[in-house]
Amino acid sequence: MLAPAQPARLRGLTLPPSGWSLAVLLALYVLPGLIGHDPWKNDDAVTIGVVHEILSSGNWLTPGLAGRPYPDAPLYYWLAASSAYLSSWLLPLHDGARLASGACTLLALAFILLAARELHGRTEAPAAPLLLAGSIGFLFHAHEAQPMLATLAAHAAAYWGLTQMARRPRRGAIVYGSALGLGLLTNGLAAMLPLLPVAALVAWRADNRQRVALLLAASVLLATLPAATWLAVLALRDPSYLATFSLAELNQLAGTAPPWPRLLRLLLMLPWYAWPAFPLAAWALWAKRRHLLSTPLALPLFALLSALPMISFWLDARSASALLLLPPLVLLAVPGVSSLRRGAANAFDWFGMITFSILAVLAWIGWCAMVFGWPASLGRQSLRLAPGFIAHFSVVAAGFALWATTAWCWLIGTTARSPMRGIMHWMAGLTLFWLLIATLWMPWIDHIKTYRQAAASLARNLPANHGCIVSVNVADPVLASLDYFEGIRTVPAASPAATHCQLFLFHGSPKDGGLTAGRDWRKIWQGGRPSDRRDGEKLHLYLRGGKRNTTADT
């Protein structure tokens, strides 16, 4: 006898998800965390600093940072500056700039869905955006001001174009060439070179090789037009900036460090960075091992194998660079979702549900400790890690977090059995965890990661009519933060103007920079973020010939 059907109000999402259900789930993943916090150290602060420079100076042609040239491909900065300008009536600049990252992330998810649809069909394709969004490494960058997100979207669009070459070669070539061209204007040549061997493979495997090869060659020529236009304008308006940018590109292509350690680092990073796409891709390759060259897996496999050494040689083995390995891995992993054996699929499903349910409980307990002081020991520990933090109860944040937790409980309790249920629960659980972090924990995290307080303290302790400040060992994210929050700009120690500066700003231990508190220099201030406790993590300000009057104000 058949079991009675569930009432409509208790039914979970239909799998595979499609239409509005997939769009809403991906939007809930992308949007929270883009706004509501200051620029954080590393790429987020640098990118927002460049956007701040563009909007304050009105110079869109040559990106700069804290009053200094910052030679880089400009497209992402243009997008971020435009979104910051258009949303300035509602959002601060740093929040408005990150909206560009949200748009790029949604585009990457959309293009990977379209590429998977061409390779694996409509039924299996929804697994692709779920796998991409569910990758642990992707979460780290999807909510920051990150130019590599635009490059990721360009890569995903290029794969979509290449997968269309057998069915619609003209449209596929146009999509591929457009994506390649926009990618060149986003992150330079090195980041887009891994796509060229994949195009050669597609042309070689095509039934009509000559026509496909000609179309792809024409698309590569089309791709050079946006970047060539920008470079031509640079040659007319600012030849020195063009020379600096060209030298940086050539140095990157020459490869300044041995690639093998970086390749090893990427290989060791991928199992956790691309989880769960990595094990599912390995399973799909094993299941199709006897017929790999005749299956749709040949294209993403070749793309991954060619991208790994090229990224290792031309790009740093950083978490952001590894984003470009996710599209081929995801396209490899899509068939592994449906072909996974029942026992393994159930184990993965239970692992995801238990893991994220526990993480959600821990997130709530930690929030209670911060806001209500219970558990007391955990509350004391949170205050020790974030000195000066004062927690406030927010009805909106708590209500949204409670709604998300309730939706998670409903989802895991009502979703019908399906081969895609495991990856659906994994991505939804990761979304829940990020929602709880973005709503409950964001004030605490922002307090320990922002340089707002340090910049304000430094501004208060600068002598009147202080003139220029020379900086040593101060990284770009810190320079960007000081300029963004308080308009404090420095000159490099190698600059001729540095010899006339009476103030010296150093990041780290002064002994590492060869500076001690001798007769010529006296420390007048030190400070940093609340999480910076050691001297090597703090900023130190020295005055030439000043009195010994050290102020520690963080």
Side-chain angles (χ1 to χ4, degrees):
M1 183 177 179
L2 295 176
Q6 286 184 313
R9 66 180 182 278
L10 297 179
R11 289 176 186 166
L13 293 179
T14 302
L15 296 180
S18 59
W20 284 107
S21 60
L22 181 61
V24 169
L25 184 62
L26 295 177
L28 287 174
Y29 172 87
V30 171
L31 297 179
L34 288 177
I35 63 174
H37 65 86
D38 285 340
W40 291 346
K41 194 175 178 180
N42 296 325
D43 292 346
D44 190 58
V46 171
T47 304
I48 290 170
V50 174
V51 171
H52 172 64
E53 180 80 10
I54 289 175
L55 293 177
S56 59
S57 68
N59 182 7
W60 292 67
L61 181 63
T62 54
L65 178 67
R68 307 177 186 182
Y70 190 77
D72 200 2
L75 182 57
Y76 178 86
Y77 304 115
W78 292 345
L79 294 175
S82 299
S83 65
Y85 177 78
L86 293 174
S87 61
S88 59
W89 62 276
L90 179 63
L91 299 173
L93 185 148
H94 53 270
D95 285 344
R98 289 195 204 96
L99 295 180
S101 289
C104 291
T105 300
L106 289 173
L107 284 174
L109 294 169
F111 287 135
I112 204 68
L113 171 66
L114 294 173
R117 186 177 293 175
E118 292 289 336
L119 275 183
H120 306 298
R122 287 181 172 270
T123 302
E124 295 187 339
L130 297 179
L131 285 166
L132 181 56
S135 297
I136 295 174
F138 187 58
L139 179 68
F140 293 157
H141 300 290
H143 304 91
E144 66 178 357
Q146 175 58 258
M148 195 60 76
L149 290 172
T151 310
L152 174 68
H155 271 240
Y159 287 120
W160 177 44
L162 291 174
T163 57
Q164 297 181 78
M165 294 305 297
R167 192 167 61 92
R168 296 179 177 177
R170 185 174 297 177
R171 189 176 77 169
I174 293 174
V175 171
Y176 173 76
S178 301
L180 193 63
L182 295 177
L184 288 173
L185 199 56
T186 298
N187 227 310
L189 183 59
M192 305 308 294
L193 283 177
L195 293 172
L196 296 182
V198 189
L201 174 71
V202 170
W204 178 73
R205 296 185 69 201
D207 295 333
N208 190 345
R209 291 183 183 177
Q210 185 175 4
R211 180 170 183 254
V212 170
L214 288 174
L215 285 173
L216 289 175
S219 71
V220 172
L221 292 177
L222 171 69
T224 62
L225 292 179
T229 302
W230 177 63
L231 294 175
V233 177
L234 273 184
L236 295 174
R237 299 285 299 274
D238 198 337
S240 61
Y241 189 97
L242 174 61
T244 307
F245 174 78
S246 302
L247 182 61
E249 285 287 296
L250 291 175
N251 289 337
Q252 186 177 35
L253 293 174
T256 56
W260 305 117
R262 292 187 287 185
L263 177 60
L264 179 61
R265 184 180 175 186
L266 282 177
L267 290 174
L268 294 176
M269 184 193 303
L270 278 181
W272 67 263
Y273 186 93
W275 179 276
F278 186 86
L280 288 170
W283 167 252
L285 290 174
W286 175 258
K288 303 288 185 180
R289 63 190 181 278
R290 297 180 181 177
H291 309 285
L292 275 179
L293 295 180
S294 59
T295 67
L297 296 180
L299 187 149
L301 176 61
F302 180 80
L304 179 63
L305 294 178
S306 60
L308 269 169
M310 297 175 81
I311 290 175
S312 302
F313 188 76
W314 287 316
L315 300 175
D316 293 330
R318 299 170 60 236
S319 179
S321 302
L323 285 173
L324 303 184
L325 298 174
L326 291 179
L329 260 173
V330 166
L331 293 176
L332 278 174
V334 167
V337 175
S338 58
S339 63
L340 200 62
R341 293 176 180 175
R342 179 175 296 181
N346 288 335
F348 173 61
D349 188 20
W350 277 102
F351 173 71
M353 288 190 292
I354 293 173
T355 298
F356 289 111
S357 295
I358 292 174
L359 289 176
V361 171
L362 292 177
W364 276 105
I365 292 175
W367 175 76
C368 288
M370 286 188 297
V371 176
F372 302 113
W374 182 89
S377 59
L378 192 59
R380 288 192 298 268
Q381 181 69 5
S382 67
L383 291 178
R384 189 185 70 83
L385 295 174
F389 174 71
I390 300 175
H392 298 282
F393 177 78
S394 171
V395 175
V396 176
F400 192 63
L402 183 62
W403 171 84
T405 307
T406 305
W408 165 251
C409 296
W410 167 79
L411 182 68
I412 62 176
T414 61
T415 303
R417 293 188 178 275
S418 165
M420 207 171 289
R421 189 171 75 163
I423 184 59
M424 177 70 180
H425 283 164
W426 178 271
M427 190 269 176
L430 192 66
T431 301
L432 168 70
F433 179 67
W434 176 246
L435 277 169
L436 295 180
I437 294 298
T439 53
L440 302 180
W441 282 74
M442 189 61 75
W444 184 86
I445 298 173
D446 194 33
H447 178 78
I448 64 176
K449 293 181 74 69
T450 179
Y451 272 95
R452 182 185 292 274
Q453 298 175 39
S457 174
L458 175 58
R460 289 194 301 269
N461 286 277
L462 287 175
N465 304 318
H466 56 77
C468 63
I469 306 171
V470 60
S471 61
V472 171
N473 201 39
V474 183
D476 285 345
V478 182
L479 292 175
S481 297
L482 296 179
D483 179 44
Y484 180 70
F485 289 124
E486 295 292 340
I488 299 173
R489 294 187 172 185
T490 65
V491 297
S495 170
T499 58
H500 305 292
C501 294
Q502 300 300 310
L503 292 171
F504 182 100
L505 184 66
F506 189 86
H507 192 201
S509 174
K511 294 180 180 179
D512 296 338
L515 182 69
T516 57
R519 275 183 286 175
D520 293 336
W521 295 96
R522 296 289 186 268
K523 184 190 289 189
I524 62 173
W525 174 85
Q526 74 174 28
R529 299 173 299 177
S531 57
D532 297 334
R533 294 194 177 91
R534 296 176 297 177
D535 273 359
E537 298 172 331
K538 294 185 177 182
L539 292 163
H540 306 268
L541 182 67
Y542 285 77
L543 174 65
R544 190 191 302 271
K547 296 180 180 180
R548 188 184 295 274
N549 181 24
T550 302
T551 301
D553 183 1
T554 58

